[in-house]
Amino acid sequence: MSIYLTQKMPTIIRRLASMCGQLLLLLALLSQLPAHAVIEDAASISAVLSGDNVDNAEALDEGNAEPAPATSDSIAETPEILEPSPEPTLPPIISGESTNNAQIETTPTPQTDNDIRQRITGIFSEINGLQTVNVSVTQGVVTLTGETPNEKKAQQAINLTNRLTDVVTVEDRINRTLDVQDNVTTVYQGLKAQVTNLVKALPLLLVGIVLFALVAWFGSWLSNRKNMWQRLTPNPFVAELLAQTIKVIFIIFGLILALSLIGAETVLGTLLGGAGVIGIAVGFAVKDTIENYIASLMLSIRQPFRARDHIVINGQEGIVVRLTSRATILMTLDGNQLRIPNAEVFKGTILNYTKNPERRFTFELGVDANDDPLAAIKVGLDAIHQLAFVLDEPKAIAVITNVGDSNIILEFQVWVDQSETDFSKARSIAIRETKHALEDEGFSLPEPIYRLRFNHKLEQAFEHMPQNNVTSGTLTTTVPSATSSNQVPSSADDKDKEQAKARAKTILQGRSASDVLDARPDDKLMEKVEQEIAENSDETDLLNNNSPQE
């Protein structure tokens, strides 16, 4: 058995080599290698691996059914049998003024050219302005000659010709006459046709206008039902905005119905597109106005203040009269009308004095450095608490704020109800009463003291002077003692103070003197505010006591 296998080994090797060669040939064909390369590879493989015909015959005699390996002749014929078909190529693109990209026939026929010419000629004969265009066709190439009144008609002829399937390209040799009569006649006929169509469409157009008017009227009537909108929302500004929105919706709905009735939906699309572009441009142009409008809406919803409130907005102080869709109107303490844009009000700092009627005012008084400041505080607070407008809770207090070179500064803090008391008058009266109380108890309110220093010669000159007053022309100078730092009030000063108090007492006991000591608010200012509120205005007041306030 081993001897038999040893003898047959060369034959088995040759057969395996032949099978490998065939496999390589098949792979080469599948990868679309050039035919001559496949033949050369197959021939080289056959020359190396193939045996003579005797070996093949022996293999067949032994009962092996495998075929003999292919020879070089058979391999040379194989590419012709197994060569893949070429891939389809794209139709060529012909460049020119006008090109039809359809596939071009390989073998043109005169019959096809004649059919193209007749078809184009028949089409041109039915179109006004193209009857004088001549058509000639050769090999699928269409040449247009003749005349057209204008460029529009020439382009129409070229476009119609390009739509035929068998047209390769179009040569434009049309002469544009630009004749006045032909062009004017065409325009006249077009206008005449449009007028005729308009006259025919007048009944339908009238029905559309009536339908639009009815829908728009109903929207306007519905928006004017203010009581209904105010029941839906207590905020007047929101109610007005909702009513106007409903009105606009009905107008747009009526326009859509009218245009749909007359078959002009495309006009609506054009209008909406133009309105969008115009809306963007107008939005950038009126950015501040839109910002102010939105601020008005937010203020009407939030209600940061009410009418008759005493407020300060960015340093502008006054009493609120009304809030409109554009501005907040105040009555200043001087009795003038002040309008502040709502955009500034919404972004600004608002100080509302009326929200909390209890308000504190402060003032400072100085006492002599030799006096006891706590005793001075008690005297001042006792005088303050005797005033009717001063609140017991929160109670008035006083603190020492500073110690100067010649005095001690005391700060008094007093609370009043500003709904019943004028803030400025109360502060003025409290300062007066505190000052008098301190003076009556012997506390002095020191004046500024200056220390003067002289050189030695000047001091000797002053010592030898017979009098303390030096007169030079009209200027009189009183020279204090160089060694004293504080001046003791003379009897003349005490006498002047007594005379001043007596004079003030006499004046304040006169007629109408009680008005000076009256700390009630000024009725005249509030009367002007009430008049402003009561006045009829075209602008809706957005302040509403029924709306929630932040």
Side-chain angles (χ1 to χ4, degrees), residues 256 259-270:
I256 293 175
L259 293 177
S260 300
L261 182 64
I262 63 177
E265 292 88 348
T266 56
V267 176
L268 179 62
T270 303

Side-chain angles (χ1 to χ4, degrees), residues 322 324 326 329 339 532-541:
R322 67 172 57 90
T324 67
R326 290 187 294 270
I329 302 176
R339 298 175 65 92
E532 288 283 344
I533 295 175
E535 284 184 359
N536 294 327
S537 176
D538 297 336
E539 298 175 322
T540 304
D541 189 3

